[in-house]
Structure formats: C-alpha cells, structure tokens
Amino acid sequence: LEGIALAPDHPTRMPLLMIHENRGLQPYMLDVARALAEAGHPVVSPDLLTRVGGTARTVDDPSLTTRAVPSEVHEADLIAVFDALVERHGRVGVFGFCFGGEMGWRLVTRRTPERAALFYGIGPDAVDVPAIACPVYAVYAEDDPRVNDTLPPLCEALWEAGTDVVLESWPGTKHAFHDHSRPERHHPEAAAAVWERALAFLA
C-alpha cells in the first residue's frame, strides 16, 4: 500500500481508495494520490501488481500489466482493502483510472462507498447495475472506441436502474487524457476541468 501524507493545513475529508491504471502505481498515479491528499483526502492505493512482483517490475518488463492477474483476484483484493478502510474510517470513497475505473465500477456493484469517481472505465455487466447504491461521477473521452463501444448498454442499464450518476464525455479528448505523463494524450484544459469537478463531487 502506498500511504500518502496529508497536507497539515488542510481539513481532512473523506478517505479514498484509489485504484490505479493497468501499469500499476506509476509516477503519474502517485502524483494523483498526492494531489488528492493535498485536497484533504487520506488516500490508500494498493499496488495490484504485487502478486507478480509489483509496479517496479514494469521497468524491466514494459509489457507487464494488471491483466497478468485474474480480474477476480483484483476484485477480491480491492474488497478486502475497502472493507478494512470502512472498518477503520466508517465512510470511504472510490477513485479509479482506466483499469481502475473498470475495477471501480465492479467494486460499487459489490460494496457501497459514499461516492465513486471513475475515469474511462468499462462498466459492469447490465445485470449488476441495479446493485449500485452510491452516487457515481463517470468521465469518458470522446476518442476512445474500445471503451465507448461499451457505453450504450451501460447507460441504458443505469437509466433503467435509476442510478444516481453523472456520466460525461469530454470533446477533443483521448483515453487517459488526464495523464500528464503522456503528452500525446494529455488534454490540459479538460484534465483541469474534470479534476475540479471530481473534487467537488467527492466533497
């Protein structure tokens, strides 16, 4: 687990379980965790690559991703961390990016955080959507065919279930547009806007 210290002069807000992208706790993900902590949120982000050597292994093996571990194992690990945080803090939010957005969707069908902010994640199976009992802020990119092809059935299921959700697609953006470490994808204006909206939603 990566523990991030809170800014001493900021009021403490809801603790967050942050779920990283598919290449683990890369520097960008740690930057996000620090930014959340600076906004007052205690953050825990488990390295889901630990079972195959940890994020550090991606330096020697760039092909290593979270797909090296069965998704059911990731789900069980995240549920264990979530339950531990709830036992300690009572209320917990979820924040996820890419793979983390996908796993965040799955987590909110199994547990009930206070809120979930999920970036460009493939949603859960339609049959699981009625189990979602928390508000969700879901962010997507305009140019992201693999993920966006999954959105019509997700939106239909969310509508039919009456889920408390705000789902946004940002024009002129590509998948991972919030990632400042990928200049070919980073969209500074959209990234800044969704960040402020996500913080306001979590607060």
Side-chain angles (χ1 to χ4, degrees), residues 115-172:
R115 290 173 177 259
L118 308 175
F119 282 47
Y120 14 84
I122 294 174
D125 293 336
V127 69
D128 293 327
V129 166
I132 299 173
C134 70
V136 178
Y137 175 53
V139 173
Y140 291 90
E142 180 182 45
D143 182 10
D144 191 1
R146 183 183 70 87
V147 173
N148 290 347
D149 285 349
T150 70
L151 290 182
L154 172 62
C155 290
E156 182 177 357
L158 291 167
W159 176 267
E160 290 181 353
T163 308
D164 184 357
V165 60
V166 174
L167 192 151
E168 299 177 340
S169 177
W170 283 75

Side-chain angles (χ1 to χ4, degrees), residues 17-147:
L17 167 57
M18 190 188 85
I19 312 173
H20 59 65
E21 60 189 10
N22 70 343
R23 297 194 68 244
L25 284 173
Q26 299 292 335
Y28 157 65
M29 286 282 86
L30 297 179
D31 287 346
V32 171
R34 292 186 186 97
L36 289 170
E38 288 169 1
H41 293 281
V43 180
V44 171
S45 188
D47 185 348
L48 297 174
L49 288 173
T50 298
R51 294 180 180 276
V52 289
T55 297
R57 264 198 63 202
T58 63
V59 175
D60 299 319
D61 183 4
S63 67
L64 180 65
T65 73
T66 49
R67 303 302 178 188
V69 177
S71 60
E72 294 79 10
V73 174
H74 290 312
E75 185 177 319
D77 287 343
L78 289 168
I79 286 173
V81 175
F82 179 86
D83 288 349
L85 288 172
V86 169
E87 183 176 352
R88 180 168 181 174
H89 297 287
R91 57 195 295 264
V92 177
V94 173
F95 211 139
F97 293 81
C98 307
F99 160 83
E102 177 181 350
M103 294 309 299
W105 275 117
R106 291 181 62 162
L107 182 59
V108 299
T109 68
R110 305 291 189 268
R111 293 294 188 271
T112 305
E114 288 286 315
R115 290 173 177 259
L118 308 175
F119 282 47
Y120 14 84
I122 294 174
D125 293 336
V127 69
D128 293 327
V129 166
I132 299 173
C134 70
V136 178
Y137 175 53
V139 173
Y140 291 90
E142 180 182 45
D143 182 10
D144 191 1
R146 183 183 70 87
V147 173

